[in-house]
Amino acid sequence: MSSPPVARPDEVRRHNRTTLLRLLHVGGPSTRAALATELGLNRSTIKTLVDGLAEAGVVEEKVPRPGRGAGRPSLLVLPQPHAAVVLAVDLQVEHVAIALVGLGGQILGRNSWNLHARTRTADEVITHVIESTRVLAGDLGVEPVAVGVSVPGVVRRADGLVHEAPNLRWTDVALGDRLSAVLRIPVLVANDAELGAVAEHLRGVARGSSDSVYVSADVGVGGGVISQGSSLRGGAGYVGEIGHMAIRPGGRGCYCGSRGCWETEIGEAALCRALGLPEDTPRGAILVELRELGADAVSAAERLGEYAEWLTLGLVNVVNLLGPELVVLGDLLTVLPESVIRSVAEEVRGRSLVSRAVGGTRIVSSALGADVKLLGAAEVAFEVVLDTV
């Protein structure tokens, strides 16, 4: 029986270097002693790694601001944002945002623009993203080394093919290949809700939770799943289309070809109907209406009662199927009155067998705001960068 292969010293050093850098990138500044404890390495190894990264300009060490403690403060190791910069792209149905994000997650600069029928075509979007990136990178004096793109659709992770993004009217768009051919750097494309889950897991309210689900309700509805600390991607990367669970037999027709999908009951159009607004009401007016409702729990319960019931029903299914510790609500769901979210959470805990078994799945709103998918896109880009910095 042959012995398992033994890692070479250079492989061990590279692994330790990448692990330390990832810890600083996600966790922020830390002392050498804390890094040694977290990574289970001795102090001499940590010193060698930090000294090497500092010499390469990837990190620096600084004395923290004076505190009340006695004695000499320990130096903090800080990632240097400009040591590695990635491009993050958040493509939405009516809006595109781009950002250049430095090591450590700092947004160095950003740009955004609205989409209309003419500018929503794949050719127009790709051209505008490339041109805007060049201008922004030139203004900041940086060069991105990888790209992460968030798309509201079904994406093949292997090559960034957008199989279908119905609300954009895109079908079989080779987004990853087309961007990488021009920018000449690695491009990773993923479903927007999957990237929302990644961002929440690494930098949001799901930090510290190894099993969570991110539920996004916008024009469409999607989900991202973190299972045992990793993003659940399914076959070819197609997973998380929870908006197309059929929950209402004989319900409204959905563009996917089915009827009674969850998306038809809790998406933007459904929320407009619940509020008594036309389905094409501008987003700003919807937000104003919801914020006004937030001050009146009784009125919120009356007007959003049926909407909340469909939200509850879908969440019970999600929790029973995936068994998360935590469900994070994103996009329009974050603006629902707190009283409605509390009521939905209580109902889910009471009606879900799995929730009761795990001690009560928590349901909370995202706190990352409009940047959640930009941050998620940046993180998938950094996945291919950190071991090469």
Side-chain angles (χ1 to χ4, degrees):
M1 185 175 180
S2 59
S3 301
V6 178
R8 299 195 305 269
D10 58 331
E11 293 175 340
V12 173
R13 282 194 296 272
R14 172 173 289 188
H15 170 76
N16 288 340
R17 186 179 191 274
T18 301
T19 304
L20 184 149
L21 197 53
R22 184 174 298 280
L23 186 61
L24 291 172
H25 169 68
V26 175
S30 183
T31 64
R32 291 189 182 191
L35 290 170
T37 300
E38 183 73 22
L39 299 177
L41 300 173
N42 60 52
R43 294 199 176 193
S44 63
T45 300
I46 291 294
K47 180 181 185 305
T48 300
L49 292 171
V50 171
D51 288 348
L53 289 168
E55 186 176 343
V58 179
V59 305
E60 70 171 335
E61 292 188 278
K62 283 187 174 181
V63 177
R65 292 180 179 179
R68 296 181 178 178
R72 181 180 177 182
S74 299
L75 292 174
L76 284 176
V77 183
L78 296 86
Q80 292 300 284
H82 288 79
V85 177
V86 303
L87 170 67
V89 181
D90 179 17
L91 175 55
Q92 301 177 27
V93 177
E94 299 177 345
H95 181 83
V96 178
I98 67 170
L100 289 169
V101 182
L103 187 65
Q106 180 181 341
I107 294 180
L108 304 175
R110 64 171 79 215
N111 192 11
S112 62
W113 59 95
N114 293 328
L115 294 179
H116 307 286
R118 183 181 62 80
T119 59
R120 197 175 288 132
T121 67
D123 288 346
E124 288 285 345
V125 169
I126 291 170
T127 298
H128 202 157
V129 166
I130 292 169
E131 291 175 349
S132 295
T133 297
R134 287 172 171 164
V135 171
L136 185 59
D139 289 344
L140 294 172
V142 300
E143 287 292 336
V145 293
V147 185
V149 187
S150 166
V151 178
V154 180
V155 179
R156 187 167 68 198
R157 284 295 296 267
D159 58 2
L161 175 76
V162 180
H163 174 66
E164 191 173 359
N167 291 315
L168 289 169
R169 304 189 188 281
W170 287 14
T171 301
D172 292 335
V173 175
L175 183 59
D177 287 345
R178 292 179 64 177
L179 285 174
S180 62
V182 177
L183 297 175
R184 299 192 179 281
I185 52 179
V187 177
L188 294 97
V189 186
N191 172 265
D192 59 348
E194 177 191 342
L195 296 185
V198 169
E200 291 294 343
H201 175 61
L202 294 177
R203 301 192 178 277
V205 293
R207 263 183 109 158
S209 175
S210 60
D211 293 278
S212 62
V213 175
Y214 175 81
V215 178
S216 165
D218 200 283
V219 174
V221 172
V225 183
I226 300 296
S227 178
Q228 295 297 299
S230 298
S231 185
L232 186 65
R233 291 173 180 166
Y238 302 143
V239 76
E241 290 298 327
I242 59 176
H244 298 288
M245 292 186 297
I247 64 169
R248 186 171 190 170
R252 291 173 178 266
C254 181
Y255 64 78
C256 72
S258 185
R259 301 190 70 84
C261 291
W262 197 26
E263 183 169 302
T264 66
E265 300 299 336
I266 70 162
E268 184 178 64
L271 186 54
C272 286
R273 294 194 301 271
L275 293 170
L277 302 172
E279 290 188 7
D280 59 353
T281 297
R283 177 64 58 84
I286 299 172
L287 300 182
V288 168
E289 194 77 14
L290 287 172
R291 288 178 180 130
E292 289 179 353
L293 267 184
D296 185 347
V298 174
S299 180
E302 290 175 352
R303 295 179 65 187
L304 294 175
E306 184 177 356
Y307 179 91
E309 175 61 22
W310 290 117
L311 177 58
T312 299
L313 180 59
L315 288 176
V316 168
N317 289 339
V318 168
V319 172
N320 281 342
L321 180 65
L322 298 169
E325 303 168 310
L326 179 70
V327 173
V328 183
L329 304 179
D331 291 319
L332 280 172
L333 298 178
T334 66
V335 199
L336 292 175
E338 289 185 14
S339 59
V340 171
I341 293 176
R342 284 197 304 270
S343 176
V344 167
E346 290 172 5
E347 283 292 309
V348 171
R349 283 191 288 269
R351 291 159 60 177
S352 166
L353 180 68
V354 171
S355 178
R356 295 196 299 273
V358 299
T361 300
R362 292 187 298 126
I363 298 176
V364 299
S365 293
S366 169
L368 293 178
D371 286 341
V372 60
K373 291 161 189 174
L374 270 180
L375 294 173
E379 290 307 325
V380 297
F382 272 114
E383 286 178 9
V384 300
V385 169
L386 292 182
D387 62 349
T388 62
V389 176

Coordinates of all heavy atoms in Angstrom, one line a residue, residues 138-196:
G138 N -8.5 54.2 -15.7 CA -7.6 55.2 -16.0 C -7.6 56.4 -15.0 O -6.5 56.9 -14.6
D139 N -8.8 56.8 -14.6 CA -8.9 57.8 -13.6 C -8.2 57.5 -12.3 O -7.7 58.3 -11.6 CB -10.4 58.2 -13.4 CG -11.0 58.9 -14.5 OD1 -10.3 59.4 -15.4 OD2 -12.3 58.9 -14.6
L140 N -8.3 56.2 -11.9 CA -7.8 55.8 -10.6 C -6.3 55.3 -10.7 O -5.7 55.1 -9.7 CB -8.6 54.6 -10.1 CG -10.1 54.9 -9.7 CD1 -10.8 53.6 -9.4 CD2 -10.1 55.9 -8.5
G141 N -5.9 55.1 -11.9 CA -4.5 54.7 -12.1 C -4.3 53.3 -11.7 O -3.2 52.9 -11.1
V142 N -5.2 52.4 -11.9 CA -5.1 51.0 -11.5 C -5.5 50.1 -12.7 O -6.1 50.5 -13.6 CB -6.0 50.6 -10.3 CG1 -5.6 51.4 -9.1 CG2 -7.5 50.8 -10.7
E143 N -5.1 48.8 -12.6 CA -5.4 47.9 -13.7 C -6.1 46.6 -13.0 O -5.4 46.0 -12.2 CB -4.2 47.4 -14.5 CG -3.7 48.5 -15.4 CD -4.7 48.7 -16.6 OE1 -5.5 47.8 -16.9 OE2 -4.6 49.8 -17.2
P144 N -7.3 46.3 -13.3 CA -7.9 45.1 -12.6 C -7.3 43.9 -13.2 O -6.8 43.8 -14.3 CB -9.4 45.2 -13.1 CG -9.4 46.1 -14.3 CD -8.3 47.0 -14.1
V145 N -7.2 42.9 -12.3 CA -6.6 41.6 -12.7 C -7.6 40.5 -12.8 O -7.2 39.4 -13.2 CB -5.5 41.2 -11.6 CG1 -4.3 42.2 -11.6 CG2 -6.1 41.1 -10.2
A146 N -8.8 40.7 -12.5 CA -9.9 39.7 -12.7 C -11.2 40.5 -12.6 O -11.3 41.6 -12.2 CB -9.8 38.6 -11.7
V147 N -12.3 39.8 -13.1 CA -13.6 40.4 -13.2 C -14.6 39.4 -12.6 O -14.6 38.2 -12.9 CB -14.0 40.7 -14.6 CG1 -15.4 41.5 -14.7 CG2 -13.0 41.5 -15.3
G148 N -15.6 40.0 -11.8 CA -16.7 39.2 -11.4 C -18.0 39.9 -11.8 O -18.1 41.1 -11.7
V149 N -18.9 39.2 -12.4 CA -20.1 39.7 -12.9 C -21.4 39.1 -12.3 O -21.5 37.9 -12.3 CB -20.2 39.6 -14.5 CG1 -21.4 40.4 -15.0 CG2 -18.9 40.1 -15.1
S150 N -22.3 39.9 -11.9 CA -23.6 39.4 -11.3 C -24.6 39.6 -12.4 O -24.8 40.7 -12.9 CB -23.9 40.2 -10.1 OG -25.2 40.0 -9.7
V151 N -25.4 38.6 -12.7 CA -26.4 38.6 -13.7 C -27.7 38.0 -13.2 O -27.7 37.0 -12.6 CB -26.0 37.8 -15.0 CG1 -27.1 37.8 -16.0 CG2 -24.7 38.4 -15.6
P152 N -28.9 38.7 -13.4 CA -30.2 38.1 -13.0 C -30.7 37.1 -14.0 O -31.6 37.3 -14.7 CB -31.1 39.4 -13.0 CG -30.5 40.2 -14.1 CD -29.0 40.0 -14.1
G153 N -30.0 35.9 -13.9 CA -30.4 34.9 -14.9 C -29.7 33.6 -14.6 O -29.0 33.4 -13.6
V154 N -29.9 32.6 -15.5 CA -29.3 31.3 -15.3 C -28.0 31.3 -16.0 O -27.9 31.5 -17.2 CB -30.3 30.2 -16.0 CG1 -29.6 28.8 -15.8 CG2 -31.6 30.2 -15.3
V155 N -26.9 31.1 -15.2 CA -25.6 31.2 -15.7 C -24.8 29.9 -15.6 O -24.8 29.3 -14.6 CB -24.8 32.3 -14.9 CG1 -23.4 32.5 -15.4 CG2 -25.6 33.7 -15.1
R156 N -24.0 29.6 -16.7 CA -23.1 28.4 -16.6 C -21.8 28.9 -16.1 O -21.1 29.7 -16.8 CB -23.0 27.8 -18.0 CG -22.2 26.5 -18.0 CD -22.4 25.8 -19.3 NE -21.7 26.5 -20.4 CZ -22.0 26.3 -21.7 NH1 -22.9 25.4 -22.1 NH2 -21.3 27.0 -22.6
R157 N -21.4 28.5 -14.9 CA -20.2 29.1 -14.2 C -18.9 28.7 -15.0 O -18.0 29.5 -14.9 CB -20.1 28.5 -12.8 CG -21.1 29.2 -11.8 CD -20.8 30.7 -11.6 NE -19.5 30.9 -11.0 CZ -19.2 31.0 -9.7 NH1 -20.2 30.9 -8.9 NH2 -18.0 31.2 -9.3
A158 N -18.9 27.6 -15.7 CA -17.7 27.1 -16.3 C -17.1 28.2 -17.3 O -15.9 28.4 -17.4 CB -17.9 25.8 -17.1
D159 N -18.0 28.8 -18.1 CA -17.5 29.8 -19.1 C -18.3 31.1 -19.1 O -18.0 32.0 -19.9 CB -17.5 29.2 -20.5 CG -18.9 28.7 -20.9 OD1 -19.9 28.9 -20.1 OD2 -19.1 28.2 -22.0
G160 N -19.2 31.3 -18.1 CA -19.9 32.5 -18.1 C -21.0 32.7 -19.1 O -21.4 33.8 -19.4
L161 N -21.5 31.6 -19.7 CA -22.6 31.7 -20.6 C -23.9 32.0 -19.9 O -24.3 31.3 -19.0 CB -22.7 30.4 -21.4 CG -24.0 30.3 -22.3 CD1 -23.7 31.1 -23.6 CD2 -24.3 28.8 -22.6
V162 N -24.6 33.1 -20.3 CA -25.9 33.4 -19.7 C -26.9 32.6 -20.5 O -27.2 33.0 -21.7 CB -26.1 34.9 -19.8 CG1 -27.5 35.2 -19.2 CG2 -25.1 35.7 -19.0
H163 N -27.3 31.5 -20.0 CA -28.2 30.6 -20.7 C -29.6 31.3 -20.9 O -30.1 31.3 -22.0 CB -28.5 29.3 -19.9 CG -29.5 28.4 -20.5 ND1 -29.4 27.8 -21.7 CD2 -30.7 28.1 -20.1 CE1 -30.4 27.1 -22.0 NE2 -31.3 27.3 -21.0
E164 N -30.0 32.0 -19.9 CA -31.3 32.7 -20.0 C -31.4 33.8 -18.9 O -31.2 33.5 -17.7 CB -32.5 31.8 -19.9 CG -33.8 32.4 -20.3 CD -34.9 31.4 -20.3 OE1 -34.7 30.2 -20.1 OE2 -36.1 31.8 -20.6
A165 N -31.6 35.0 -19.3 CA -31.9 36.1 -18.4 C -33.2 36.8 -18.9 O -33.2 37.8 -19.6 CB -30.8 37.1 -18.3
P166 N -34.4 36.2 -18.6 CA -35.6 36.6 -19.2 C -36.0 38.0 -19.0 O -36.5 38.7 -20.0 CB -36.7 35.7 -18.5 CG -35.9 34.5 -18.0 CD -34.6 35.1 -17.6
N167 N -35.7 38.6 -17.9 CA -36.1 40.0 -17.7 C -35.2 41.0 -18.5 O -35.6 42.1 -18.7 CB -36.1 40.4 -16.2 CG -37.2 39.6 -15.4 OD1 -38.4 39.6 -15.9 ND2 -36.9 39.0 -14.3
L168 N -34.1 40.5 -18.9 CA -33.2 41.3 -19.8 C -33.5 40.9 -21.3 O -33.0 41.6 -22.2 CB -31.7 41.0 -19.5 CG -31.2 41.6 -18.2 CD1 -29.8 41.0 -17.9 CD2 -31.1 43.1 -18.3
R169 N -34.2 39.8 -21.5 CA -34.5 39.3 -22.8 C -33.2 38.8 -23.5 O -33.0 39.0 -24.6 CB -35.2 40.3 -23.7 CG -36.5 40.8 -23.1 CD -37.3 41.6 -24.1 NE -38.4 42.3 -23.4 CZ -39.6 41.7 -23.1 NH1 -39.7 40.4 -23.4 NH2 -40.6 42.3 -22.6
W170 N -32.3 38.2 -22.6 CA -31.1 37.6 -23.1 C -31.2 36.1 -23.2 O -31.8 35.4 -22.3 CB -29.9 37.9 -22.2 CG -29.4 39.3 -22.2 CD1 -30.0 40.4 -22.8 CD2 -28.2 39.8 -21.6 NE1 -29.3 41.5 -22.6 CE2 -28.2 41.2 -21.9 CE3 -27.2 39.2 -20.9 CZ2 -27.1 42.0 -21.5 CZ3 -26.1 39.9 -20.5 CH2 -26.1 41.3 -20.8
T171 N -30.7 35.5 -24.2 CA -30.7 34.0 -24.3 C -29.3 33.6 -24.9 O -28.9 34.1 -26.0 CB -31.8 33.5 -25.2 OG1 -33.1 33.9 -24.7 CG2 -31.8 32.0 -25.3
D172 N -28.6 32.7 -24.3 CA -27.4 32.1 -24.7 C -26.4 33.2 -25.1 O -25.8 33.3 -26.2 CB -27.6 31.2 -25.9 CG -28.3 29.9 -25.5 OD1 -28.2 29.6 -24.3 OD2 -29.0 29.3 -26.4
V173 N -26.1 34.1 -24.2 CA -25.1 35.2 -24.4 C -23.8 34.8 -23.7 O -23.7 34.5 -22.5 CB -25.6 36.5 -23.7 CG1 -24.5 37.6 -23.8 CG2 -26.9 37.0 -24.4
A174 N -22.7 34.7 -24.6 CA -21.4 34.3 -24.1 C -20.7 35.4 -23.4 O -19.7 35.9 -23.8 CB -20.6 33.8 -25.3
L175 N -21.3 35.9 -22.3 CA -20.8 37.1 -21.6 C -19.4 36.9 -21.1 O -18.6 37.8 -21.3 CB -21.8 37.4 -20.4 CG -21.5 38.7 -19.6 CD1 -21.5 39.9 -20.5 CD2 -22.5 38.8 -18.5
G176 N -19.1 35.8 -20.4 CA -17.8 35.6 -19.9 C -16.7 35.6 -21.0 O -15.7 36.3 -20.9
D177 N -16.9 34.9 -22.1 CA -16.0 34.8 -23.2 C -15.8 36.2 -23.8 O -14.7 36.6 -24.2 CB -16.4 33.8 -24.2 CG -16.2 32.4 -23.7 OD1 -15.5 32.2 -22.7 OD2 -16.8 31.4 -24.3
R178 N -16.9 36.9 -24.0 CA -16.8 38.2 -24.7 C -16.1 39.2 -23.9 O -15.3 40.0 -24.5 CB -18.2 38.6 -25.1 CG -18.9 37.8 -26.2 CD -20.3 38.2 -26.5 NE -20.3 39.5 -27.1 CZ -21.4 40.1 -27.6 NH1 -22.6 39.5 -27.4 NH2 -21.3 41.3 -28.1
L179 N -16.3 39.3 -22.6 CA -15.6 40.2 -21.8 C -14.1 39.9 -21.7 O -13.2 40.7 -21.8 CB -16.2 40.3 -20.4 CG -17.5 41.0 -20.3 CD1 -18.1 40.9 -18.9 CD2 -17.4 42.5 -20.6
S180 N -13.8 38.6 -21.5 CA -12.4 38.2 -21.3 C -11.6 38.4 -22.6 O -10.4 38.7 -22.6 CB -12.3 36.7 -20.8 OG -12.9 35.9 -21.8
A181 N -12.3 38.2 -23.8 CA -11.6 38.4 -25.0 C -11.1 39.9 -25.2 O -10.0 40.1 -25.8 CB -12.5 38.0 -26.2
V182 N -11.8 40.8 -24.6 CA -11.4 42.2 -24.8 C -10.6 42.7 -23.6 O -9.5 43.3 -23.8 CB -12.7 43.1 -24.9 CG1 -12.3 44.6 -24.9 CG2 -13.5 42.7 -26.1
L183 N -11.0 42.3 -22.4 CA -10.2 42.8 -21.2 C -9.0 42.0 -21.0 O -8.1 42.4 -20.3 CB -11.1 42.7 -20.0 CG -12.4 43.7 -20.0 CD1 -13.3 43.4 -18.8 CD2 -12.0 45.1 -20.1
R184 N -8.9 40.8 -21.5 CA -7.8 39.9 -21.4 C -7.4 39.5 -20.0 O -6.2 39.5 -19.6 CB -6.6 40.4 -22.2 CG -6.9 40.6 -23.7 CD -5.7 40.9 -24.5 NE -6.0 41.0 -25.9 CZ -6.2 40.0 -26.7 NH1 -6.1 38.8 -26.3 NH2 -6.5 40.2 -28.0
I185 N -8.3 39.4 -19.1 CA -8.1 38.9 -17.7 C -9.3 37.9 -17.4 O -10.3 37.9 -18.1 CB -8.2 40.1 -16.7 CG1 -9.4 40.9 -16.9 CG2 -6.9 40.9 -16.8 CD1 -9.5 42.1 -15.9
P186 N -9.1 37.1 -16.4 CA -10.1 36.1 -16.0 C -11.5 36.8 -15.7 O -11.5 37.8 -15.0 CB -9.6 35.4 -14.8 CG -8.1 35.6 -14.9 CD -7.9 36.9 -15.5
V187 N -12.6 36.2 -16.2 CA -13.9 36.8 -16.0 C -14.8 35.6 -15.4 O -14.9 34.6 -16.0 CB -14.5 37.3 -17.3 CG1 -16.0 37.8 -17.0 CG2 -13.7 38.4 -17.9
L188 N -15.4 35.9 -14.3 CA -16.3 34.9 -13.7 C -17.7 35.5 -13.6 O -17.8 36.6 -13.1 CB -15.8 34.5 -12.3 CG -14.5 33.8 -12.3 CD1 -13.3 34.8 -12.0 CD2 -14.5 32.7 -11.2
V189 N -18.6 34.8 -14.2 CA -20.0 35.3 -14.2 C -20.9 34.4 -13.4 O -20.7 33.1 -13.5 CB -20.5 35.3 -15.7 CG1 -21.9 36.0 -15.7 CG2 -19.6 36.1 -16.6
A190 N -21.8 34.9 -12.6 CA -22.6 34.1 -11.7 C -24.0 34.7 -11.6 O -24.2 35.9 -11.8 CB -22.0 33.9 -10.4
N191 N -24.9 33.9 -11.1 CA -26.3 34.4 -10.8 C -26.2 35.4 -9.7 O -25.5 35.3 -8.8 CB -27.2 33.2 -10.5 CG -28.5 33.6 -9.9 OD1 -28.7 33.8 -8.7 ND2 -29.4 33.9 -10.8
D192 N -27.1 36.5 -9.8 CA -27.0 37.6 -8.9 C -27.3 37.1 -7.4 O -26.7 37.6 -6.5 CB -27.9 38.7 -9.3 CG -29.4 38.3 -9.5 OD1 -29.7 37.1 -9.5 OD2 -30.2 39.2 -9.6
A193 N -28.3 36.2 -7.3 CA -28.7 35.8 -5.9 C -27.6 35.0 -5.3 O -27.3 35.0 -4.1 CB -30.0 35.0 -5.9
E194 N -26.9 34.1 -6.1 CA -25.8 33.4 -5.6 C -24.7 34.3 -5.1 O -24.1 34.1 -4.0 CB -25.2 32.5 -6.7 CG -23.9 31.7 -6.2 CD -23.2 31.1 -7.4 OE1 -23.7 30.9 -8.5 OE2 -22.0 30.7 -7.1
L195 N -24.4 35.4 -5.8 CA -23.4 36.3 -5.3 C -23.9 37.1 -4.1 O -23.1 37.5 -3.3 CB -23.0 37.3 -6.5 CG -22.4 36.6 -7.7 CD1 -21.9 37.6 -8.7 CD2 -21.2 35.7 -7.2
G196 N -25.2 37.4 -4.0 CA -25.7 38.0 -2.8 C -25.4 37.1 -1.6 O -25.1 37.6 -0.5

